[in-house]
Amino acid sequence: MKQCCRVEVARQPPEVPLLTDERWMRLALEHARRALEHDDVPVGAVLVHGEAVIGAGHNERELRQDPTAHAEMIAIRAGAAALGSWRLLDTVLYITLEPCAQCAGAIVLGRIPRVVFGALDPKAGAAGSVLDVLADPRLNHRPAVTSGVLGEECGDLLREFFRGRRTR
């Protein structure tokens, strides 16, 4: 069993209904598809506070020529602006792909209490696949993490994108 799965089970809050997670992940998938319009890797993120989306984004690295323009970073910045605070308390971040080290760091720094992601990233994931920034006991904040929500759909979107790039 992968470490990510073991960590996830221990840290997943039991009171969160899976249907709610699927609802928000479907919205994150819609955002991910928008990245295809400008040939970016199709990753989407939605930051939810209560029942409201306070931040959303999709990868815009190619569009902006900015290595930090990941979906999560865009959603986190928008959420902080919406709340008027860098502390993103009482929020949940939904991401179609396991966050990288940069985004995991921003999640920790923003004190986001819960992260839900779809597909694992075995090459750059920092929530259990390559690193586990979100569970590192040396850090002052460790969000609850749920992985694999609509994981097959999220992974299929990414595989289709990269398959198309390899055949060019």
Side-chain angles (χ1 to χ4, degrees), residues 11 45 68 70-74 76 88 93 95 97-115 117 121 124-136 139-145:
R11 294 172 23 203
T68 69
H70 290 199
E72 302 95 306
M73 299 299 289
I74 293 166
I76 288 169
L88 299 168
L93 182 61
I95 319 156
L97 180 66
E98 180 180 2
C100 69
Q102 168 196 246
C103 297
I107 290 164
V108 169
L109 293 172
R111 311 297 196 272
I112 296 172
R114 183 163 182 255
V115 175
F117 68 88
D121 185 349
S129 289
V130 176
L131 304 169
D132 202 348
V133 173
L134 299 182
D136 194 316
L139 299 176
N140 65 336
H141 175 72
R142 289 178 298 284
V145 175

Side-chain angles (χ1 to χ4, degrees), residues 18-37:
L18 185 58
L19 291 177
T20 300
D21 286 348
E22 288 181 1
R23 168 189 172 201
W24 296 118
M25 188 62 73
R26 288 198 189 288
L27 184 57
L29 273 164
E30 286 179 29
H31 283 277
R33 289 183 187 97
R34 293 179 188 173
L36 296 171
E37 297 170 10

